[in-house]
Amino acid sequence: MNLTLNVWRQNGAGDKGRMEQYQAKNVSPDSSFLEMLDEVNEELIREGKEPIAFDHDCREGICGMCSQVINGKPHGGQDRTTVCQLHMRSFKDGDAIFIEPWRAKAFPVLRDLAVDRNALDRIMEAGGYTSCHTGGVADGNALLIGKPEADYAMDAAECIGCGACVAGCLNSSAMLFTSAKVAQLATLPQGKVEAAKRVKSMTAELKAQGFGNCTNHYECQASCPKGIDVKFIATLNREYIKALVK
Amino acid sequence: MILDGKCPTGPIETTWDRHRFESKLVNPSNKRKFKILCVGTGLAGGAAAASLGELGYNVHAFCYQDSARRAHSIAAQGGINAAKNYPNDGDSIYRLFYDTIKGGDFRAREADVWRLAQVSNNIIDQCVAQGVPFARDYAGYLDNRSFGGAQVSRTFYARGQTGQQLLLGAYSALCRQVKAKTVTLHERREMLDLVVVDGVAKGITCRNMVTGEIESHWGDAVILATGGYVNVFYLSTNAMGCSVTAAWKAARKGAYMANPCYTQIHPTCIPQSGEHQSKLTLMSESLRNDGRCWVPKKKEDCDKPAGSIPEEDRDYYLERKYPSFGNLAPRDIASRAAKEQCDDERGVGPGKRGVYLDYQSAIDRVGEDTIRERYGNLFEMYEKITDENAYKQPMRIYPAPHYAMGGLWVDYNCMSNVPGLFVLGEANFSVHGANRLGASALMQGLADGYFVIPYTIAGYLATVKPGEITAEHPEFKKSADEVKGTIDKMLSINGKKTPAELHRELGKVMWENVGMARSDSSLKAALKMIPEIREEFWNNVKVTGKNGEFNQQLENAGRLADFLEFAEILTKDALNREESCGGHFRVEHQTDDGEAMRNDEDFCYVAAWEFKGNGVEPEMHKEPLKFENIKLAVRSYK
Ligand SMILES: Cc1cc2nc3c(=O)[nH]c(=O)nc-3n(C[C@H](O)[C@H](O)[C@H](O)COP(=O)(O)OP(=O)(O)OC[C@H]3O[C@@H](n4cnc5c(N)ncnc54)[C@H](O)[C@@H]3O)c2cc1C
Ligand code: FES
């Protein structure tokens, strides 16, 4: 199949950036979206032009590195699918496709489609852990954890930290990301001890990093390639209120 | 030269405890004066950096991804082993030790494997304390599943994302230390050289992948936890950025590369669908519990829909060849058998490099719902990639390069032959011998990082003066100049072929000649072709852009340049090893029915290669393997 690509090109944070058009020819419907871009890049190199920069690594939907807004939707908007797992058969011959980077104040563009997402790491550093030491911990079965709690924690822990929730949110809020970690750890007995401190410092950091407020539009859940549920935001809010009264 | 692994001797049960007691310690108030560089933030590097930071050392951690949380450990699906014996089914440290030695085809050190088995239980406790949501049963206890190569149920898991959860646990411990200011993270940095001063590792040179700046970092010790090298085959289950670069740069500075020919080919991956393919996706080994492997008996049936081929025209080749293990034959055997069928022109799917993995009899036996419960997420993933519904038609699978058992040589302290250079996780060679058992790589990474290096590095640091050599030393500038020179050279060639094209060519040579079945003639052919591709690379590669910017083509070219040197040593090791063991199969050394034939008389040793420059024969150093606790035996799966 043949496609017309409109791709955001921007050489570093200092550049204003612009959309540029490319033709992707003879694309195999079995190739992934990133493999399609690989071929376009090979062609660009042969023509002596600069290839399109984009982040990617595992190409199996788990590392969270790939990050593109395709036709206005983070990761292309297919249910529970990252860009690297999106396949060309979901497009039609002759389609025009618009490809842009994550857009958020907290995620400055590094080049073309690659952005700086380290603000998410800063939120994690603010409290996304249990303060256990290496060694000297209790036996894994010393504290029993009911299957429903373990499953709830796991549902939250599936977040891959890609930032699609931020890219999909009109406030550029990282609430879903933050709530997933808060909920995971607040649900498990190992994380409960520090739950109050954690929720306060992580939400404070979220603001400090320039992410917006959550106004309950739930575009984050729709954008999430792992189907992280907005119910974790409710959990975060509950934890936050509990922390305030403490 | 005969190498000494410095393994403690005496009763195996007490080796690690005695060694810990006998190792020197660093005074707590002195620890912060020592700067440790840790390259890699996967399970091994992440766990090491967090634990060393917590002990009070000044740790600097590096990774090429944009965040420490994205190391390829994240992709591990199946699980992690430990000798907890929670199911009361007869497991013990000794049994895990034994299974690992045997699974590795008797090509690993006893003392290292014992220690791994011993600390395996601490790992599970540590991860639980971090909030890793392992699978639990209804009573709230940790759940276990079974894995290949073991008769006990000792694998802990978190759905199909065990690696992700363990890595996020290590990453959260790392975040805690960043907050405590004991660890400094350097993301989007690629290590491009090891700085060695008077024979001792004292720092690294790396490239800032955003700005192109070449940075010098000094340290009193350097840890490499940079993962495996199977992207030398181009297509593999590894992430796109996985490379041999960090390890190879160390090898160029004198570190020995041990057993590089031990590579693992995983039998159940989704086959290549065309030339555009950039990587291969693993499907969990557990699929072979219920799926049956077959190919058409007749070549002319290969293009017909699977469903139209009657039972009597199907060849269930694993059941035919290995009646007692059948579809559950171990990884190396199952992979080779699939290749044989395709070589016999009975493969299926695009390019005819695939075999069927059929669920029809299982669905008939237990019903589609049960199969969905067991493997639903895998069937879904398969459909996403292939657009085929595996409940209605058999899956197509094919083996793919997956894991590197070989790696930089290290002694019992995880220190390489270059003093001050420590190597952890998949990047070292130490515990898996010639074949790794499922769910043991995660165990090794975390064992090395949480429970081995914190002790063994102290023994080394106690002998050095902190901050004695810093980045002011002329070796740092020399190294930075060399790195810049190589980059400039790559950028100036301006030839016709892209790095991806040349990498694909190398991959093809490696896969066809140094892949699942290796022979004297195929290896010699590869040894002729690899230098030719290397030659072409240095004369005809086209790398766009410049150094002082975000430049992914430059990254790819640099990694390929290292693979092109490393590939030759891997092949030479395979040529030298005139035996078949584990993942290394020499067609000349097999029994009449195609079983691997080990040669303990002549090859019961670790081959550690010293690189001496391109076009110069590398020198092999031998470390003889001694088995004092386990008797060497033939692995049989009939
Ligand atoms: C698809 C898949 C499934 C698997 N499933 C299982 C399983 O179920 N059970 C099991 O036990 N094992 C499994 N394995 C194997 C296991 O995941 C790996 O062996 C293990 O995670 C490797 O960990 P590591 O810390 O050594 O390396 P990695 O996790 O690969 O980390 C390497 C680190 O080094 C950094 N790095 C590399 N080169 C450089 C450089 N030049 N400069 C700077 N930084 C660099 C990277 O950024 C990264 O942080 C699987 C592997 C794959 C590919
Ligand atoms: S590349 Fe890893 S999630 Fe897409």
Side-chain angles (χ1 to χ4, degrees), chain A residues 71-90:
Chain A
N71 292 336
K73 299 242 162 77
H75 290 298
Q78 207 176 75
D79 187 37
R80 297 170 65 96
T81 306
T82 52
V83 190
C84 59
Q85 292 285 70
L86 184 65
H87 279 72
M88 293 316 293
R89 65 181 78 89
S90 53

Side-chain angles (χ1 to χ4, degrees), chain A residues 203-219:
Chain A
T203 45
E205 191 62 29
L206 182 129
K207 289 198 192 91
Q209 289 295 329
F211 292 103
N213 282 327
C214 170
T215 47
N216 302 320
H217 284 266
Y218 301 151
E219 284 298 327

Side-chain angles (χ1 to χ4, degrees), chain A residues 34 55-67 75 82-85 160 162 225-226, chain B residues 70 72 74 239-240 279:
Chain A
L34 299 187
D55 270 330
H56 65 101
D57 201 29
C58 75
R59 298 204 174 187
E60 329 194 336
I62 191 77
C63 75
M65 191 99 178
C66 62
S67 46
H75 290 298
T82 52
V83 190
C84 59
Q85 292 285 70
I160 59 174
C162 64
K226 293 291 139 180
Chain B
R70 306 202 204 281
H72 197 51
I74 202 107
M240 302 298 288
K279 75 153 281 162

Side-chain angles (χ1 to χ4, degrees), chain A residues 11 28 30-32 34-36 38-39 41-42 44-60 62-65 78-82 85 87 89 110-111 114-118 120-122 124-148 150-155 157-163 177 181 184-185 188 190-191 194 201 205 225-226, chain B residues 47 50-51 54 64-72 74-75 77 84 86 122 124-142 158-161 164-165 168 171-179 185 187-188 210 237-242 273 275-282 350 380-381 383-387 449-451 454 496 498-501 504 542-546 549-553:
Chain A
N11 197 356
S28 160
D30 287 328
S31 66
S32 71
L34 299 187
E35 286 166 346
M36 182 275 291
D38 288 342
E39 302 237 311
N41 274 346
E42 291 287 291
L44 287 174
I45 298 170
R46 265 179 236 118
E47 292 168 12
K49 295 185 185 144
E50 289 278 324
I52 303 158
F54 59 89
D55 270 330
H56 65 101
D57 201 29
C58 75
R59 298 204 174 187
E60 329 194 336
I62 191 77
C63 75
M65 191 99 178
Q78 207 176 75
D79 187 37
R80 297 170 65 96
T81 306
T82 52
Q85 292 285 70
H87 279 72
R89 65 181 78 89
L110 296 173
R111 179 158 199 174
V115 301
D116 179 346
R117 281 171 287 188
N118 287 130
L120 296 179
D121 296 292
R122 302 293 94 80
M124 278 292 294
E125 287 155 16
Y129 43 78
T130 71
S131 298
C132 65
H133 302 281
T134 301
V137 299
D139 184 271
N141 267 341
L143 281 174
L144 300 186
I145 303 173
K147 195 173 181 328
D151 284 345
Y152 188 83
M154 183 63 203
D155 287 343
E158 288 196 34
C159 166
I160 59 174
C162 64
F177 169 84
K181 193 47 72 180
Q184 174 200 342
L185 295 178
L188 299 170
Q190 291 82 4
E194 297 170 284
S201 55
E205 191 62 29
K226 293 291 139 180
Chain B
S51 304
E54 186 178 43
Y64 71 77
Q65 293 93 346
D66 71 332
S67 166
R69 65 181 289 156
R70 306 202 204 281
H72 197 51
I74 202 107
Q77 305 167 347
K84 283 284 195 188
Y86 285 153
N122 302 66
I124 303 306
D125 302 339
Q126 189 64 36
C127 297
V128 168
Q130 288 167 347
V132 169
F134 280 122
R136 300 259 167 181
D137 63 20
Y138 281 96
Y141 291 92
L142 288 158
R159 292 202 185 133
Q161 294 111 292
Q164 180 198 26
Q165 294 311 314
L168 293 181
Y171 162 75
S172 70
L174 197 58
C175 285
R176 177 169 163 254
Q177 294 309 316
V178 173
K179 177 85 173 170
L185 286 177
E187 298 102 343
R188 293 201 197 255
V210 178
T237 63
N238 279 11
M240 302 298 288
C242 293
S273 72
E275 272 295 300
H276 58 261
Q277 192 102 17
S278 58
K279 75 153 281 162
L280 296 167
T281 303
L282 176 81
E380 203 178 291
M381 177 157 94
E383 185 162 7
K384 227 173 231 171
I385 294 173
T386 62
D387 203 23
Y450 288 133
F451 300 114
K496 296 231 150 35
T498 64
E501 271 178 281
R504 226 176 269 134
K542 187 176 179 86
V543 188
T544 51
K546 47 186 198 296
E549 61 184 7
F550 193 101
N551 188 340
Q552 294 172 314
Q553 291 301 315

